[in-house]
Amino acid sequence: MSRLFGTDGVRGVANRELTPELALHLARAASAVLIREHQQARGAAQGGVQSAAPGNGRARVLIGRDTRLSGPMLESAMAAGFASMGVDVLLAGIIPTPAIAHLTREYGADAGVVISASHNPVADNGIKFFSRDGFKLPDALEDEIESLLPGIGKPAGQPDGLPRPAGADVGRTIPLEDAAERYIRFLVSVAQAPQPPFRGWRIVIDAGFGAAYQVAPEVFRRLGAEVIALNAEPDGARINVGCGSTHPEMLQEAVRKHRASLGLAHDGDADRLIAVDENGEQVDGDAIMAICARHMLEQGCLAGGKIAVTLYSNLGLRDCLREAGGDVVVTKAGDRYVLEAMLKEGLVLGGEQSGHIIFLRHNTTGDGVLTAVKLLQVLQAKGLSLAEAAKVMRRYPQIMVNVRARRKDEVSTHPAVQTALAQAEALLQGRGRVVVRPSGTEPLVRIMGEGPEEEVVRQAVMHLAQVVERELGARARRITSPSSPPRGPAAAARASAPSRPRPITCTTAPVPLGRRTSRPRPPSLRSTRPAPRRPAGSSRGPPAPAPAGVPGSCAPGFRTGDAQPSPRLPQQKEWVFSYVWHRRIRGPAASRPGVDGRIAAPGIPWL
């Protein structure tokens, strides 16, 4: 049976996979572990943990959640489970994930729990645990909790064998009225300025209808900025829908419209930050880390001269730091692996391209609002705009395709996928890389290609996506190309035209791959560009030969239709790209032993 805990807690569709019953049993199982840890901590401290929270003397847990409609349901179930084990429950309400990591320590709680699915769709939810010191639980403790669950392989409702105290020994549930205010004061204190440091800045903040709807705007108002808040309502039915860090198009338009200094976008639980510069151009987590790390190197406060990044970070980030005398430590995808590397190497900065960035001197997990404060501090100190500061990093073309897969875990062992991976690597001819891995939180296979020539990278990635789709029962869902928009006068001219926003994220039209199709395209997707005239007497001719070193036709040609506004989400200004594949994959199915399905091109030095 697969492990219940993923890379970021327990996730699933709320009330179907992640049910109230499962939440209750998770709380009871976690309580058994927490009570033991609590007793050990009290014995070591010789008198218990002192705290500002009521109920001192018994084990207690702090629970926070985002705005999802399923949040109160799961919160109630977990509170009941903890109380049934004699654990006191402190309810922080709607609050960012990093706030729970910080407040768990401040309140002296034995653990923190976040009910959130971060950037996932509205229907999803998740449960994530933090230890008493604010770090995510290690795998061993998660496995121990999972082993105590009664519903795994057993009939529902079967007793779990755990104690059931009664009377005065039942745990209490205590709402916290000052949780958000404590967290806001903490973030303001990070700026370390006697006067509001950001006076004169105009900042647009997109809270994504998520957990930062109250905290993020208030922090920057107290720091002196003029704040224009978007999607700053606790509307769980719209969390992450066409907004926030995963859909910054609305923020980009708002920054241009209000002539703001910059824009800040958070995801549903506010552990991420994607920024937008004064020209409306996106600045992702890699660029934010480059700006902050270079400044910290100059100030001599970047421990070890290194930062921890995942294998998805752009190669330009490595080059940026090496030019300044620094370097990167590369980990597997996932913030928990970034944190592990930081603790092992003694680093103070690390993160992901998605904007999940850890400033370990201030918090123990990714913190979107904290990252925004630190970013603005650097800009203020250097006297630069965000667009000027972002030039410090030169970016390699990078293309990401998410493929919805029913059997995502087979991607690293499926023979056809491994053959396609070898073909994609051969197409790049050692000058780039292809990373393939199953998502830890969604039923997706993530395929990322990177190299100096964008069109070659695109062909390699799309060929591999076609094979994964065909073999694992999937359909390409989302493409990001390239990882960051280009900069310069041409980009500024495009940004000034409201009718043609810069495409950041697009959705592939459901066109069958691997064969020609005679099905007409919808009117909104048809190209308005006239077809080139063929000289009289000419013929179509044979197909172009495959690139050298690639067996058969491993890199099928494709045609990219003109970008048109999506009829499904016109208000989001997404763009639809229709790829029509001209021929099937042919050639011998050459096997390649040793490929693990996660990364190709092992010759890249930093990998």
Side-chain angles (χ1 to χ4, degrees):
M1 177 175 289
S2 61
R3 192 170 183 265
L4 181 64
F5 283 88
T7 57
D8 204 23
V10 179
R11 289 196 184 180
V13 177
N15 211 31
R16 290 186 181 176
E17 299 161 354
L18 184 54
T19 62
E21 294 84 356
L22 176 57
L24 184 143
H25 289 304
L26 271 172
R28 285 183 55 79
S31 295
V33 177
L34 292 178
I35 291 172
R36 183 194 66 209
E37 298 290 318
H38 173 76
Q39 291 171 346
Q40 292 175 353
R42 283 178 60 83
Q46 295 182 353
V49 180
Q50 298 301 316
S51 169
N56 190 32
R58 292 199 295 182
R60 68 197 131 193
V61 63
L62 176 66
I63 300 180
R65 58 182 174 87
D66 66 18
T67 61
R68 292 169 202 270
L69 300 179
S70 57
M73 172 186 70
L74 297 174
E75 178 188 64
S76 299
M78 294 211 73
F82 283 119
S84 73
M85 288 285 290
V87 176
D88 287 344
V89 180
L90 310 178
L91 297 180
I94 296 174
I95 200 165
T97 287
I100 294 298
H102 170 75
L103 293 175
T104 297
R105 302 190 304 274
E106 184 166 331
Y107 279 109
D110 294 280
V113 177
V114 176
I115 301 172
S116 172
S118 187
H119 59 284
N120 281 23
V122 173
D124 291 358
N125 217 325
I127 297 172
K128 178 165 50 181
F129 293 90
F130 287 99
S131 65
R132 62 187 303 109
D133 53 6
F135 292 102
K136 293 180 181 179
L137 293 187
D139 291 346
L141 285 184
E142 288 182 345
D143 290 340
E144 184 177 356
I145 292 172
E146 187 169 337
S147 69
L148 297 175
L149 294 176
I152 297 182
K154 302 176 183 178
Q158 181 172 332
D160 53 20
L162 298 175
R164 291 184 176 272
D169 293 330
V170 172
R172 292 172 291 174
T173 300
I174 306 164
L176 298 176
E177 303 296 337
D178 64 341
E181 176 60 26
R182 282 176 176 247
Y183 181 56
I184 290 170
R185 289 202 301 262
F186 156 69
L187 292 171
V188 171
S189 71
V190 170
Q192 297 177 342
Q195 301 295 328
F198 305 140
R199 187 168 289 154
W201 292 63
R202 179 179 294 172
I203 302 174
V204 183
I205 297 178
D206 185 351
F209 297 111
Y213 82 96
Q214 175 187 6
V215 168
E218 181 62 22
V219 166
F220 285 98
R221 288 191 182 107
R222 294 190 189 185
L223 291 173
E226 176 189 349
V227 175
I228 300 168
L230 305 178
N231 309 316
E233 304 170 27
D235 188 348
R238 291 190 285 174
I239 187 171
N240 299 322
V241 178
C243 60
S245 63
T246 53
H247 295 278
E249 298 87 357
M250 184 185 301
L251 178 62
Q252 291 174 291
E253 287 188 10
V255 168
R256 299 186 191 113
K257 175 183 176 182
H258 295 285
R259 298 182 179 179
S261 306
L262 75 165
L264 306 170
H266 302 292
D267 61 336
D269 67 340
D271 63 354
R272 298 185 181 193
L273 170 71
I274 292 295
V276 171
D277 69 21
E278 65 274 18
N279 300 318
E281 300 289 342
Q282 180 180 339
V283 179
D284 66 9
D286 283 348
I288 293 171
M289 286 190 287
I291 294 169
C292 294
R294 285 282 291 249
H295 181 70
M296 294 170 71
L297 273 171
E298 294 168 4
Q299 299 298 311
C301 58
L302 186 66
K306 299 178 182 179
I307 66 173
V309 301
T310 73
L311 52 85
Y312 282 118
S313 280
N314 197 279
L315 292 171
L317 176 57
R318 174 206 63 180
D319 294 346
C320 171
L321 291 185
R322 287 184 175 177
E323 289 170 2
D327 208 342
V328 297
V329 175
V330 183
T331 76
K332 294 189 293 184
D335 63 282
R336 69 186 305 149
Y337 302 113
V338 171
L339 181 59
E340 285 177 4
M342 293 175 68
L343 295 174
K344 179 180 179 181
E345 301 281 341
L347 309 181
V348 295
L349 177 61
E352 300 178 275
Q353 189 181 83
S354 62
H356 191 286
I357 300 174
I358 304 172
F359 287 85
L360 197 52
R361 286 199 178 108
H362 301 286
N363 208 346
T364 53
T365 189
D367 190 328
V369 185
L370 171 64
T371 299
V373 172
K374 299 297 287 184
L375 174 63
L376 265 69
Q377 276 187 299
V378 175
L379 300 180
Q380 185 84 316
K382 300 179 77 67
L384 297 175
S385 70
L386 181 55
E388 293 169 334
K391 293 177 182 178
V392 71
M393 175 179 157
R394 179 177 59 88
R395 187 177 298 275
Y396 287 75
Q398 192 177 79
I399 296 176
M400 171 83 76
V401 177
N402 290 334
V403 181
R404 188 164 293 277
R406 291 191 297 269
R407 306 193 313 276
K408 65 177 183 178
D409 294 332
E410 297 180 21
V411 70
S412 61
T413 58
H414 196 286
V417 174
Q418 294 305 300
T419 298
L421 178 61
Q423 292 172 341
E425 179 187 346
L427 184 61
L428 295 175
Q429 298 179 349
R431 296 184 298 163
R433 59 183 181 133
V434 179
V435 180
V436 184
R437 75 171 186 95
S439 168
T441 59
E442 299 179 85
L444 301 173
V445 171
R446 304 192 190 279
I447 304 172
M448 187 272 285
E450 184 176 19
E453 299 178 20
E454 181 177 346
E455 194 60 29
V456 176
V457 174
R458 184 185 300 278
Q459 289 186 18
V461 169
M462 294 306 296
H463 160 58
L464 187 53
Q466 179 194 30
V467 175
V468 172
E469 177 185 43
R470 183 184 67 233
E471 299 296 332
L472 303 182
R475 186 178 68 180
R477 194 184 80 164
R478 187 167 62 249
I479 302 175
T480 305
S481 168
S483 60
S484 180
R487 299 178 177 275
R494 287 194 301 270
S496 64
S499 60
R500 287 296 295 265
R502 178 83 172 107
I504 300 297
T505 302
C506 53
T507 306
T508 56
V511 177
L513 302 181
R515 61 180 176 85
R516 289 184 179 274
T517 175
S518 59
R519 183 174 58 188
R521 299 166 67 191
S524 62
L525 302 185
R526 292 175 186 154
S527 172
T528 58
R529 184 182 304 163
R533 293 183 177 274
R534 189 177 299 278
S538 65
S539 61
R540 185 174 298 274
V550 182
S553 299
C554 77
F558 59 87
R559 183 176 67 233
T560 305
D562 287 342
Q564 299 290 342
S566 169
R568 291 167 291 180
L569 292 172
Q571 74 278 15
Q572 308 306 334
K573 301 194 185 306
E574 292 191 351
W575 300 85
V576 175
F577 284 76
S578 176
Y579 295 95
V580 181
W581 297 85
H582 293 297
R583 54 187 181 271
R584 290 183 179 275
I585 306 301
R586 300 189 300 275
S591 61
R592 186 186 178 197
V595 177
D596 62 2
R598 291 193 301 272
I599 185 164
I604 301 296
W606 76 312
L607 298 175

